[in-house]
Amino acid sequence: MKHEKNTRSCVPSQGRRDFLKTTAALGTVAAFSGSLKAFASSDVIRIGYVSPKSGPFAPFAKADDFIIEQVRQSLAGGLTIGGKHYDVEILVRDDQSSTDRASNQAADLINSEEVDLMLAQVSIGPSVPQQCELNGVPCISTMGPWEAWMFPMGGKPDVGFQYAYHFFWGVFDIARVYEGMWSEIPTNKKVGMLWSNDVPGLAMGDAEHGMPAVFKAAGYELIEVGKFPVGADDFTAHIQAFKKEGVDIVTGLFNPPEWATFVAQSHQMDFKPKIMTPAKALLFPSGVETLGQSADRMSTEIWWTPAYPFSSSLTGQTAEQLSNTYMNQTGQAWTQPLGVAHALFEAGIQALKNSGDPKNPDAVAEAIGSMQVDSVIGRLDFANGPAKNVSGMRVVGGQWRIEAGKPEIMITDNQMAPEIPVQRTFESL
Amino acid sequence: MKSSKILAMLVLLGVLVALPWIGGYATQRLMVEVFTLYAIALAWNLLAGYGGIVAVGQHVFIGIGAYSLFFLSTSFGLNPWLMLPAAVVITALFALLFALPMFRLRGAYFAVGTWVLAEITRIAVLNSDWLGAGAGMPLSTMMGITRWLRNAGIYWAALAVGVGSLGVVWWLLRGRLGLALLSVRDNEAAAAASGVNVLRTKVILWLVAAAITGLAGAVAYMNTLQVTPSASFSLNWTAAAIFIAVLGGIGTLEGPLIGVLVYFLLREMFSSYGSWYFIVLGCIAILTMLLAPGGAWSLLTRRRPLDPFGIRRMLS
């Protein structure tokens, strides 16, 4: 129709009215061809990524620069989805370990940058997925027990969310791993617990839905002297109580500096438990190094090591190759979040591919919901997770060994993931 | 007021009200921050610049206001906008309760006392399981509301807070209380001797400042959707308010207005420089106090006296 109009108005010597018609028609054609041109050129998929690059939770994001560089390289040629070519842009933001800032950064990525997919670390709390859920942007997050993601957002395990997805182990999984390690040596079954007063600490230390419930069911006696605030530097009251009760096992959730303080004060007060299994504090080699020889035989959960028998769907690297490349390029020791953060990008890219239409948030969200991806940390399965919108993730138990001054973590318990080989038997401190 | 002035103000107000139809979500969010921080700075300026009361712990009201809104709305499934008046009332009651011990203190002791109050409240909230303890609370009642309406609604609430707080303060300062305040600020003994009830004047000021700050805090956290003790009871709020008031001009109604514009201009342009941004911000505040203690507004009015709000008083 437009074509017809166009040819007719090309006939010369017309009145003013026709002249206007011509311009209008030409204008339409011009506008149309303009949009056609835009259509033909490659669209851009924008991925937002929020993580704690600075602040007390920074160890979780230490490998970020390396991972993002690798992902950018592997996506340099863009992605072809549904027969259409897209360039991929990754926008990285630092939340400075603050929940307020995470919210604002997420909102900025959503509203100003109009990202198509959000990836986030939620070790401090689920601020980013919350913004995504309300603003209709698909989001995948990790780095926190799924209970510490779902319940603070007011979600229910059988209902889930529309746009927010998460993968990680659950509180019960890690509790079973701990309990499995402890049962390997004889103790008096008295456990002293210290949970931090923050999102993950409250989820893991919850009497009903947290780790204490599993320990209690396994016949352990639990001793607790209140939650401690993040950044606490005095644990004498806790240690006193543990000594009085004759505690053999210490567990809880710590940041590395808090754990270092606890260990130093335990030495001073001559408190010598048989087992020390803090969560989070011993994930990072830097945190272990500051403890020196006293870290020997301290135990913790393991989410990923170079010994995992999996490889990346993005770069094809095995777990070992990934950690070796990281160590070669950065000169730093590998950390557990390296594998998990890499898997976060694997999941994100896979979701975009599966969606068929990466610019449509509902299609992407739906694709995540039914997605299975074989990543460098093993298979992620969002369709058959422990709760709606959640994929589980492997967690095993391990013990740090300091040999010749060099710390190394050894897998000692694999009951939650039998395909990951045990490297050593569990020993008392 | 001249009719042209009224017309200009109405046009400006009209444009601001229509912003959700003109600007995008990002603009609206930024304006929410601008209006709420403006109200908080205005309240700090009201206390310090007009009442001579320096409150370093003003951020306690932000936390109280935000938590009141989140607790009522999330626990009982009530519309968050309808809970805003409740947040104001609860913050004012909280301020009234603590006015008794606080106003037994003076000057620097009062300043530190308010800080202690804020810190005690933060720790109390941090250990209250019914408020979510260290994890804080979400605003889950926002779930069913469309994106457009939520953003626009929060923006309009923030606009009302900004314009409303200016109106309240303006009305307060023009009346008897305004005169009483000036006399109290300049010389308490003389004011008392002239028949001004000093304590009553100060307490009213304290309550108004608390109510404005509590409301602004509640609206600011509607934007964030999650309130936590460490963020909402953070000294950063008061620090920003002081910076804005000092930069714009303490003891003027125009000061916070200019201060907030400068503050956000600096933030939008330089905040990517990380720690250096804060260092420069601090230096600017120090330089202002040394070179132009009256703030930016005093520089503007040095040559030519301006009084757009008509609240200055001249002895004749």
Side-chain angles (χ1 to χ4, degrees), chain B residues 75-138:
Chain B
S75 307
F76 304 109
L78 299 167
N79 181 312
W81 280 274
L82 296 181
M83 291 301 108
L84 285 173
V88 173
V89 171
I90 292 171
T91 317
L93 285 177
F94 176 87
L96 186 63
L97 185 68
F98 285 97
L100 257 72
M102 284 299 135
F103 282 101
R104 297 184 67 90
L105 306 170
R106 269 163 191 281
Y109 296 98
F110 178 87
V112 175
T114 57
W115 192 354
V116 172
L117 174 66
E119 198 58 12
I120 291 173
T121 316
R122 183 184 71 85
I123 294 169
V125 173
L126 196 61
N127 289 294
S128 303
D129 287 331
W130 57 285
L131 291 175
M137 299 182 102

Side-chain angles (χ1 to χ4, degrees), chain A residues 144-147 166-171 173-174 204 279 301-303 391-395:
Chain A
W146 63 262
E147 291 93 338
H166 188 75
F167 70 85
F168 214 70
W169 39 259
V171 169
D173 304 331
I174 181 179
M204 291 167 79
E301 80 278 12
I302 297 178
W303 328 338
S391 162
M393 169 180 127
R394 279 158 191 75
V395 57

Side-chain angles (χ1 to χ4, degrees), chain A residues 100 103 111 130 134-135 197, chain B residues 126 134 147 150 221 224 226:
Chain A
D100 269 14
S103 264
N111 294 324
Q130 189 131 31
L134 279 168
N135 289 311
N197 191 351
Chain B
L126 196 61
R147 187 180 179 190
R150 181 165 46 80
Y221 276 94
T224 313
Q226 175 89 25

Side-chain angles (χ1 to χ4, degrees), chain A residues 159-339:
Chain A
V159 182
F161 300 100
Q162 209 179 340
Y163 296 99
Y165 291 85
H166 188 75
F167 70 85
F168 214 70
W169 39 259
V171 169
F172 286 171
D173 304 331
I174 181 179
R176 288 200 191 95
V177 167
Y178 279 20
E179 195 264 312
M181 288 196 286
W182 300 343
S183 65
E184 282 172 44
I185 61 166
T187 60
N188 63 4
K189 292 203 131 190
K190 285 188 175 175
V191 181
M193 303 191 302
L194 296 113
W195 305 104
S196 55
N197 191 351
D198 58 2
V199 175
L202 290 165
M204 291 167 79
D206 191 275
E208 260 177 78
H209 307 287
M211 295 169 70
V214 176
F215 300 153
K216 213 168 206 172
Y220 287 87
E221 193 186 326
L222 305 175
I223 293 109
E224 192 182 5
V225 194
K227 309 240 177 332
F228 67 87
V230 174
D233 54 8
D234 181 12
F235 295 99
T236 47
H238 303 83
I239 298 168
Q240 205 97 52
F242 294 168
K243 269 185 81 170
K244 204 174 131 226
E245 297 284 339
V247 158
D248 263 356
I249 304 167
V250 172
T251 192
L253 182 70
F254 292 85
N255 283 313
E258 297 149 7
W259 179 247
T261 309
F262 179 81
V263 171
Q265 289 175 352
S266 296
H267 279 304
Q268 283 163 10
M269 296 173 69
D270 203 31
F271 170 56
K272 286 177 183 150
K274 285 185 181 163
I275 299 174
M276 283 179 153
T277 316
K280 186 161 83 181
L282 296 179
L283 288 176
F284 312 107
S286 56
V288 176
E289 270 161 22
T290 52
L291 297 173
Q293 197 59 36
S294 61
D296 191 38
R297 292 177 195 168
M298 281 183 183
S299 41
T300 189
E301 80 278 12
I302 297 178
W303 328 338
W304 182 78
T305 80
Y308 267 39
F310 308 112
S311 50
S312 164
S313 63
L314 211 56
T315 60
Q317 293 164 300
T318 62
E320 200 180 351
Q321 285 167 341
L322 178 65
S323 81
N324 283 343
T325 321
Y326 175 71
M327 291 194 284
N328 285 339
Q329 280 191 15
T330 62
Q332 312 251 14
W334 64 272
T335 67
Q336 300 194 25
L338 169 62

Side-chain angles (χ1 to χ4, degrees), chain A residues 93 103-115, chain B residues 26 29:
Chain A
R93 295 292 158 87
S103 264
N104 288 328
Q105 292 293 324
D108 184 55
L109 284 170
I110 293 167
N111 294 324
S112 313
E113 308 289 351
E114 299 185 341
V115 293
Chain B
R29 280 188 67 92

